[in-house]
Amino acid sequence: MEEGLDDRRLVRPLANLVIPNRVTAEIYRRSAPDGSWPSDRIVNAWWVALLFSFISYTETTQYASGETIVYSPPFFTAVSAVGGIAAAVLLSLVIRKVSAWQDAKPTS
């Protein structure tokens, strides 16, 4: 095994939890008109909602007769669904705001 291979296996998944949020927040802030620096709370809220949409839990039971039952508790399904809906709404707000800022005529 190559030296450092284990480090890369740990860093990449952790980077995937941070980098997309930071890039989106940077685009959001830099798109603001007149060089203002708006709060990126809406971007952070979108990211948290998106992470909640990935929550899942499934129980699988296989009986001796060969029957298999797959069960997903309603609570986890509801959290994931609400997270996905919230993430979609928040991201559409971010996109609309950034688009409006970028389409606006610069004032100077």
Side-chain angles (χ1 to χ4, degrees):
M1 182 186 313
E2 289 181 36
E3 197 167 318
L5 186 60
D6 292 333
D7 293 339
R8 287 190 301 245
R9 288 183 182 165
L10 178 64
V11 170
R12 285 182 184 160
L14 294 177
N16 286 334
L17 290 175
V18 176
I19 292 173
N21 179 30
R22 295 294 80 209
V23 169
T24 306
E26 186 74 16
I27 291 169
Y28 181 80
R29 286 190 302 255
R30 299 238 179 207
S31 296
D34 301 329
S36 62
W37 202 255
S39 171
D40 59 352
R41 281 184 273 168
I42 190 169
V43 175
N44 292 332
W46 158 72
W47 190 247
V48 169
L50 184 67
L51 293 179
F52 271 105
S53 74
F54 296 145
I55 292 175
S56 73
Y57 177 76
T58 304
E59 296 175 9
T60 303
T61 306
Q62 188 167 15
Y63 295 101
S65 64
E67 179 185 10
T68 302
I69 296 177
V70 179
Y71 172 74
S72 183
F75 173 75
F76 291 106
T77 304
V79 168
S80 179
V82 169
I85 292 168
V89 169
L90 289 168
L91 186 60
S92 68
L93 293 174
V94 169
I95 290 171
R96 292 183 78 175
K97 190 174 254 189
V98 168
S99 294
W101 285 342
Q102 291 179 350
D103 289 342
K105 255 186 156 174
T107 56
S108 351

